[in-house]
Amino acid sequence: QVRLVESGGGSVQAGGSLRLSCAASEATYNTYHMGWFRQAPGKEREGVSVLDSGGWAAEYADSGKGRFTISRDNAKNTLYLQMTSLKSEDTAMYYCAADREIWRRVTLSPTEYDDWGQGTQVTVSS
């Protein structure tokens, strides 16, 4: 079974940085759109940043623009999210996901993603 496994979460103080990683169990994921999403307690899951299958087109939610950077290393079947200047409102469970429908434009909408990891917790204290 194909899996996505997130890592890199943790507890940091406001202003700190974290790099999240998402390792895919097979190289097929290198051909999919990939994205990072988050869900805070009592809130809906939301898109944070996504990257198209070619690694050229990235989109960011307004909340992360200028602070977060998404990237992928296809040689390692791994997706990354570098987060800087973290704020308390960034506290959430972070998930990576894959969209197999690469014929369409990459999107921040979680409903368009097919495969999900188990998540990694990010906690930012002020």
Side-chain angles (χ1 to χ4, degrees), residues 11 27 56 64 74 81 118-119:
S11 296
W56 297 104
N74 287 349
L81 183 69
Q118 293 301 305

Side-chain angles (χ1 to χ4, degrees), residues 25-94:
S25 61
E26 62 181 50
T28 305
Y29 277 91
N30 295 335
T31 64
Y32 298 155
H33 300 327
M34 298 291 293
W36 287 99
F37 301 82
R38 69 186 183 187
Q39 188 167 18
K43 295 187 177 181
E44 293 186 355
R45 190 168 297 187
E46 63 178 0
V48 175
S49 182
V50 295
L51 188 62
D52 76 339
S53 58
W56 297 104
E59 292 194 11
Y60 297 89
D62 289 343
S63 58
K65 286 181 180 177
R67 300 189 299 125
F68 296 171
T69 303
I70 191 171
S71 62
R72 64 197 301 170
D73 184 339
N74 287 349
K76 297 181 179 180
N77 298 345
T78 302
L79 180 75
Y80 301 100
L81 183 69
Q82 178 70 49
M83 304 188 295
T84 62
S85 302
L86 284 162
K87 307 174 182 179
S88 57
E89 51 262 45
D90 294 318
T91 295
M93 185 71 78
Y94 283 70

Side-chain angles (χ1 to χ4, degrees), residues 8-11 18 20 39 41 90-94 119-124:
S11 296
L18 284 173
L20 306 183
Q39 188 167 18
D90 294 318
T91 295
M93 185 71 78
Y94 283 70
T120 185
Q121 178 68 38
V122 171
T123 302
V124 184

Side-chain angles (χ1 to χ4, degrees), residues 85-118:
S85 302
L86 284 162
K87 307 174 182 179
S88 57
E89 51 262 45
D90 294 318
T91 295
M93 185 71 78
Y94 283 70
Y95 301 89
C96 72
D99 177 5
R100 299 172 183 241
E101 305 296 333
I102 61 173
W103 54 269
R104 64 186 173 204
R105 182 179 176 180
V106 66
T107 175
L108 283 164
S109 173
T111 61
E112 303 298 339
Y113 287 74
D114 307 292
D115 302 305
W116 292 83
Q118 293 301 305

